Amino acid sequence: MEKEAAASGAGLPGDEGEEGERSAEEPVVSLAEVLAESEELEKEARAVLGGSDHERCSYSQGAVKRQALYACSTCTPPGEEPAGICLACSYECHGTHKLFELYTKRNFRCDCGNSKFKNLQCKLFPEKAMVNPANKYNDNFFGLYCVCKRPYPDPDDEIPDEMIQCIVCEDWFHGRHLGAIPPDSGDFHEMVCQACMDRCPFLWAYASEIAAEDQVVLNVEETEEKRKENGIDNQIKTEEEKAAHNNEPSTSSASECSEQTVKKEESTCRFQELKAKQYVQKNRATFWPHNWRSKLCTCKECMKMYCDLEVPFLTEECDTVLAYENKGTSDQEADRRDPLMDTLSSMNRVQQVELISEYNDLKTELTDYLRRFANDGTVVKREDIQQFFEEFQSRKRRRTDRMQYYCS
């Protein structure tokens, strides 16, 4: 039904002239396609923001486990101390500034307006401490990434390459600078860079069992027979197996993770069992499949080792970027009403077709407008969007005036 209505738009009265020529040249999408694409874009945006509050500064929450973060090049340029700001402050306090999108960092507290900002006070939460000593920073806060310390996108780099984030240091790396060819993106879940593998050599014992070898990710789910052959305790189960045993839902794919996870202390140290086998440490990054963290030993000695190496988060499934994205998606799913559907339900067929035609115009012009920002690698500000819609409305009025002139 929607496709027929959209297709019939080309023959509606009053479509002759400039408007008729544009309708004939540009493809017309169906209402179903409009809604599907809009929903997909909205879902991606929610995932990237991870449920971060766009109105209130996150400082009062302390060190947030994960949140959307930005760095302001205008306030803290290279040569100054690095600083990070939350989503709400990026809108309210730095709306006209040049920002670097940091995606998400773990256990970070918003710096906006503290001593690192010489001439700016936070508008949302001005009562901040001078510094946040627990925050960790890297070159990403100055728009530089990877071992090559280059910006992204890099105007001087003509080689198409995927950027992959290390889940330990949280820096981003070009695939060609990892010391190994990354598997297909669907074949691995997380990556640990070469430097972090050197800092956490215990991971090599696990890599021989569950990580990628020769660019192929091994299956985490081992058969009981293979476990016996490898001398691995049969009682070690994945989180899904534990959940099924207790008739409780699995937390590995849940959108939220409990702040306090009670782990059963293992009777034997799995790391020592794996360490007793022969394995090779290589000068390369490693790639890990889903649920690999549940395979790490959680005995007392190993937990102390993780804390000494400052990587206790590796045992937490809720630390994963997937859990962060799922939280952003699920937080806004409940009880959502679609205002577009409410509007369309009150329109007749001709009005629906006209609305779709207007949407096509808006979609084309907005896509072209935003592409300039994407090519330049700059963040879209509130003022940019306001300017676009003012110009769009102006162009729309001029087109409407010409149509009225032709019809008079």
Side-chain angles (χ1 to χ4, degrees):
M1 177 65 70
E2 292 85 0
K3 289 185 179 181
E4 293 177 358
S8 65
L12 290 176
D15 279 352
E16 293 81 12
E18 180 182 340
E19 295 293 314
E21 292 177 2
R22 185 167 64 254
S23 298
E25 294 175 357
E26 298 179 358
V28 179
V29 298
S30 69
L31 178 58
E33 292 171 330
V34 170
L35 296 177
E37 183 175 4
S38 175
E39 183 176 349
E40 183 63 26
L41 290 174
E42 183 180 355
K43 183 178 180 180
E44 291 180 4
R46 291 198 305 269
V48 169
L49 297 179
S52 300
D53 194 330
H54 66 280
E55 295 180 341
R56 290 177 289 274
C57 176
S58 65
Y59 182 85
S60 60
Q61 302 175 41
V64 180
K65 185 174 289 291
R66 281 203 176 276
Q67 63 175 314
L69 286 177
Y70 301 82
C72 182
S73 179
T74 303
C75 295
T76 55
E80 300 289 339
E81 290 187 83
I85 59 176
C86 68
L87 177 65
C89 288
S90 74
Y91 292 155
E92 188 65 28
C93 307
H94 305 265
T96 61
H97 299 177
K98 181 180 179 181
L99 303 179
F100 296 123
E101 296 185 68
L102 302 177
Y103 189 31
T104 177
K105 304 286 186 185
R106 67 172 60 89
N107 300 327
F108 198 92
R109 197 172 195 183
C110 180
D111 285 322
C112 180
N114 67 15
S115 62
K116 297 186 176 185
F117 294 81
K118 308 302 183 185
N119 301 307
L120 181 138
Q121 184 180 50
C122 181
K123 301 177 182 178
L124 300 177
F125 201 104
E127 301 85 12
K128 287 187 171 75
M130 297 290 288
V131 293
N132 294 311
N135 284 356
K136 293 186 177 181
Y137 308 89
N138 58 18
D139 288 329
N140 295 176
F141 289 80
F142 296 118
L144 302 177
Y145 308 89
C146 190
V147 293
C148 61
K149 305 302 180 187
R150 297 293 301 170
Y152 182 83
D154 188 347
D156 299 325
D157 187 2
E158 299 180 355
I159 302 176
D161 200 354
E162 180 182 13
M163 298 290 286
I164 307 174
Q165 187 179 35
C166 172
I167 52 91
V168 177
C169 66
E170 298 190 295
D171 194 0
W172 291 81
F173 296 83
H174 296 98
R176 64 186 186 273
H177 292 159
L178 291 172
I181 300 175
D184 291 338
S185 58
D187 292 338
F188 73 97
H189 179 52
E190 294 182 307
M191 181 273 290
V192 179
C193 72
Q194 178 178 332
C196 289
M197 288 299 296
D198 293 340
R199 188 168 70 87
C200 304
F202 73 90
L203 287 174
W204 283 111
Y206 293 95
S208 63
E209 293 287 327
I210 57 178
E213 281 298 322
D214 296 327
Q215 293 77 56
V216 178
V217 175
L218 304 179
N219 191 349
V220 177
E221 302 298 332
E222 300 175 277
T223 63
E224 292 298 322
E225 181 178 351
K226 183 176 180 181
R227 291 185 185 187
K228 292 178 181 179
E229 293 174 355
N230 292 336
I232 299 174
D233 188 0
N234 292 335
Q235 298 303 315
I236 299 175
K237 300 179 180 181
T238 62
E239 287 189 9
E240 286 78 9
E241 290 170 333
K242 291 179 182 178
H245 178 72
N246 296 320
N247 293 321
E248 296 178 354
S250 169
T251 58
S252 62
S253 60
S255 61
E256 292 186 286
C257 195
S258 175
E259 290 295 322
Q260 295 181 344
T261 303
V262 179
K263 291 183 175 289
K264 181 180 179 181
E265 185 173 324
E266 300 178 6
S267 58
T268 59
C269 178
R270 188 182 184 200
F271 171 59
Q272 292 300 329
E273 292 178 349
L274 294 175
K275 188 177 178 181
K277 302 177 183 180
Q278 293 184 348
Y279 62 88
V280 179
Q281 295 186 208
K282 303 178 181 179
N283 294 322
R284 47 160 282 187
T286 51
F287 308 90
W288 304 80
H290 287 272
N291 300 327
W292 73 276
R293 297 186 185 213
S294 66
K295 296 293 183 177
L296 297 178
C297 181
T298 55
C299 72
K300 184 177 180 179
E301 289 74 16
C302 283
M303 293 302 292
K304 181 180 183 302
M305 176 179 64
Y306 304 150
C307 289
D308 291 342
L309 293 172
E310 299 183 339
V311 292
F313 52 81
L314 287 180
T315 61
E316 303 172 5
E317 286 292 336
C318 56
D319 175 74
T320 65
V321 173
L322 178 61
Y324 166 80
E325 293 181 344
N326 286 343
K327 184 179 187 302
T329 302
S330 63
D331 278 356
Q332 301 181 30
E333 284 295 329
D335 301 326
R336 285 196 306 127
R337 287 185 61 84
D338 193 330
L340 180 57
M341 287 301 299
D342 291 341
T343 303
L344 288 171
S345 63
S346 63
M347 292 181 172
N348 58 40
R349 180 178 176 181
V350 173
Q351 290 173 326
Q352 288 179 352
V353 172
E354 290 176 345
L355 177 59
I356 294 172
S357 178
E358 288 291 336
Y359 171 83
N360 280 326
D361 292 340
L362 175 61
K363 174 186 174 183
T364 300
E365 295 189 30
L366 182 57
T367 299
D368 292 341
Y369 181 74
L370 295 178
R371 186 176 291 114
R372 301 203 306 266
F373 293 89
N375 293 337
D376 295 339
T378 56
V379 177
V380 182
K381 307 293 194 312
R382 180 183 304 174
E383 291 74 12
D384 298 324
I385 297 300
Q386 291 175 343
Q387 178 183 351
F388 167 80
F389 279 103
E390 289 174 359
E391 294 176 354
F392 178 79
Q393 290 293 340
S394 177
R395 289 191 295 272
K396 179 181 175 182
R397 283 192 294 269
R398 290 197 296 270
R399 291 198 300 267
T400 303
D401 292 341
R402 286 198 298 272
M403 290 179 64
Q404 292 175 347
Y405 173 78
Y406 292 141
C407 293
S408 59

